[in-house]
Coordinates of all heavy atoms in Angstrom, one line a residue:
Q5 N 49.4 -81.2 12.9 CA 48.0 -81.0 13.1 C 47.8 -79.6 13.7 O 48.3 -79.3 14.8 CB 47.3 -82.0 14.0 CG 47.7 -83.5 13.7 CD 46.9 -83.9 12.4 OE1 46.5 -83.2 11.6 NE2 46.8 -85.3 12.3
L6 N 47.1 -78.7 13.0 CA 47.1 -77.3 13.4 C 45.7 -77.0 14.0 O 44.7 -77.2 13.4 CB 47.3 -76.4 12.2 CG 48.6 -76.5 11.4 CD1 48.5 -75.6 10.2 CD2 49.8 -76.2 12.3
D7 N 45.8 -76.3 15.2 CA 44.6 -75.7 15.7 C 44.6 -74.3 15.0 O 45.4 -73.4 15.3 CB 44.7 -75.5 17.2 CG 43.5 -74.9 17.8 OD1 43.0 -73.8 17.3 OD2 43.0 -75.4 18.8
R8 N 43.7 -74.2 14.0 CA 43.7 -73.0 13.2 C 43.5 -71.7 14.0 O 44.0 -70.6 13.6 CB 42.7 -73.1 12.1 CG 43.1 -74.1 11.0 CD 44.1 -73.5 10.0 NE 43.7 -72.3 9.4 CZ 43.0 -72.3 8.2 NH1 42.7 -73.5 7.6 NH2 42.6 -71.2 7.6
G9 N 42.7 -71.7 15.0 CA 42.5 -70.5 15.8 C 43.8 -70.0 16.4 O 44.3 -68.9 16.2
S10 N 44.5 -70.9 17.2 CA 45.7 -70.5 17.9 C 46.8 -70.2 16.9 O 47.6 -69.3 17.1 CB 46.1 -71.5 18.9 OG 46.4 -72.7 18.3
F11 N 46.8 -70.9 15.8 CA 47.9 -70.7 14.8 C 47.7 -69.4 14.1 O 48.7 -68.6 14.0 CB 47.8 -71.9 13.8 CG 48.9 -71.8 12.8 CD1 50.2 -71.7 13.2 CD2 48.7 -71.9 11.4 CE1 51.3 -71.6 12.3 CE2 49.7 -71.8 10.5 CZ 51.0 -71.7 10.9
E12 N 46.5 -69.0 13.7 CA 46.3 -67.7 13.0 C 46.5 -66.6 14.0 O 47.0 -65.5 13.6 CB 44.9 -67.7 12.4 CG 44.9 -68.6 11.2 CD 43.6 -68.5 10.4 OE1 42.9 -67.4 10.5 OE2 43.3 -69.4 9.6
N13 N 46.2 -66.8 15.3 CA 46.5 -65.7 16.3 C 48.0 -65.5 16.4 O 48.5 -64.4 16.5 CB 45.9 -66.0 17.6 CG 44.4 -66.0 17.6 OD1 43.8 -65.2 16.8 ND2 43.8 -66.7 18.5
E14 N 48.8 -66.6 16.3 CA 50.2 -66.5 16.4 C 50.8 -65.8 15.1 O 51.7 -64.9 15.2 CB 50.9 -67.9 16.5 CG 52.4 -67.9 16.4 CD 53.1 -67.3 17.6 OE1 52.4 -67.2 18.6 OE2 54.3 -67.0 17.5
L15 N 50.2 -66.1 14.0 CA 50.6 -65.4 12.7 C 50.3 -64.0 12.7 O 51.1 -63.1 12.2 CB 49.9 -66.1 11.5 CG 50.3 -67.5 11.2 CD1 49.4 -68.1 10.0 CD2 51.8 -67.7 10.9
I16 N 49.2 -63.6 13.3 CA 48.9 -62.1 13.5 C 50.0 -61.4 14.3 O 50.4 -60.4 13.9 CB 47.5 -61.9 14.1 CG1 46.4 -62.3 13.1 CG2 47.3 -60.5 14.6 CD1 45.0 -62.2 13.7
Q17 N 50.3 -62.0 15.4 CA 51.3 -61.4 16.3 C 52.7 -61.3 15.5 O 53.4 -60.2 15.6 CB 51.5 -62.2 17.6 CG 50.2 -62.2 18.4 CD 49.7 -60.8 18.7 OE1 50.5 -59.8 19.1 NE2 48.4 -60.5 18.5
R18 N 53.0 -62.3 14.8 CA 54.3 -62.3 14.1 C 54.3 -61.3 12.9 O 55.3 -60.6 12.7 CB 54.6 -63.7 13.6 CG 55.1 -64.6 14.7 CD 55.3 -66.1 14.1 NE 55.7 -66.9 15.2 CZ 57.0 -67.4 15.3 NH1 57.9 -67.1 14.4 NH2 57.3 -68.2 16.3
S19 N 53.1 -61.2 12.3 CA 53.0 -60.2 11.1 C 53.1 -58.8 11.7 O 53.8 -58.0 11.1 CB 51.7 -60.5 10.4 OG 51.6 -59.6 9.3
K20 N 52.5 -58.5 12.8 CA 52.5 -57.2 13.3 C 53.9 -56.9 13.9 O 54.4 -55.7 13.7 CB 51.5 -57.0 14.5 CG 50.0 -57.0 13.9 CD 49.0 -57.3 15.0 CE 48.9 -56.1 16.0 NZ 47.8 -56.3 17.0
A21 N 54.6 -57.9 14.5 CA 55.9 -57.7 15.0 C 56.9 -57.4 13.8 O 57.9 -56.7 14.0 CB 56.4 -58.9 15.8
A22 N 56.6 -57.9 12.6 CA 57.5 -57.7 11.5 C 57.3 -56.3 10.9 O 58.0 -55.9 10.0 CB 57.2 -58.8 10.4
G23 N 56.2 -55.6 11.3 CA 56.0 -54.2 10.8 C 54.8 -54.1 9.9 O 54.6 -53.0 9.4
N24 N 54.1 -55.2 9.7 CA 52.9 -55.1 8.9 C 51.7 -54.5 9.7 O 51.6 -54.7 10.9 CB 52.5 -56.5 8.4 CG 53.6 -57.1 7.5 OD1 54.2 -56.4 6.7 ND2 53.7 -58.4 7.6
E25 N 50.8 -53.8 9.0 CA 49.6 -53.3 9.7 C 48.4 -54.1 9.5 O 48.2 -54.6 8.3 CB 49.4 -51.8 9.2 CG 50.5 -50.9 9.6 CD 50.1 -49.4 9.3 OE1 48.9 -49.1 9.5 OE2 50.9 -48.7 8.8
L26 N 47.6 -54.3 10.5 CA 46.4 -55.1 10.4 C 45.2 -54.3 10.9 O 45.3 -53.7 12.0 CB 46.6 -56.3 11.3 CG 45.4 -57.2 11.5 CD1 45.0 -58.0 10.3 CD2 45.6 -58.2 12.7
Q27 N 44.2 -54.3 10.1 CA 42.9 -53.6 10.5 C 41.8 -54.7 10.5 O 41.5 -55.3 9.5 CB 42.6 -52.6 9.4 CG 41.3 -51.8 9.8 CD 41.5 -50.9 11.0 OE1 42.4 -50.0 11.0 NE2 40.7 -51.1 12.0
L28 N 41.3 -54.9 11.8 CA 40.2 -55.9 11.9 C 38.9 -55.3 11.7 O 38.7 -54.0 11.7 CB 40.3 -56.5 13.4 CG 41.5 -57.3 13.7 CD1 41.5 -57.7 15.2 CD2 41.7 -58.5 12.8
G29 N 37.8 -56.1 11.5 CA 36.5 -55.6 11.4 C 36.2 -55.0 10.1 O 35.3 -54.2 9.9

């Protein structure tokens, strides 16, 4: 059972740590 908010925040941190770039807004 996923809390989508906390889960997607974790995925963002992992994606950035892997070297991907994220632009919000």
Side-chain angles (χ1 to χ4, degrees):
Q5 309 286 23
L6 300 177
D7 184 311
R8 285 286 298 274
S10 63
F11 185 51
E12 290 188 18
N13 290 335
E14 175 70 17
L15 294 178
I16 284 174
Q17 296 306 313
R18 287 175 179 253
S19 185
K20 291 164 69 174
N24 299 323
E25 293 191 40
L26 172 71
Q27 182 69 59
L28 296 175

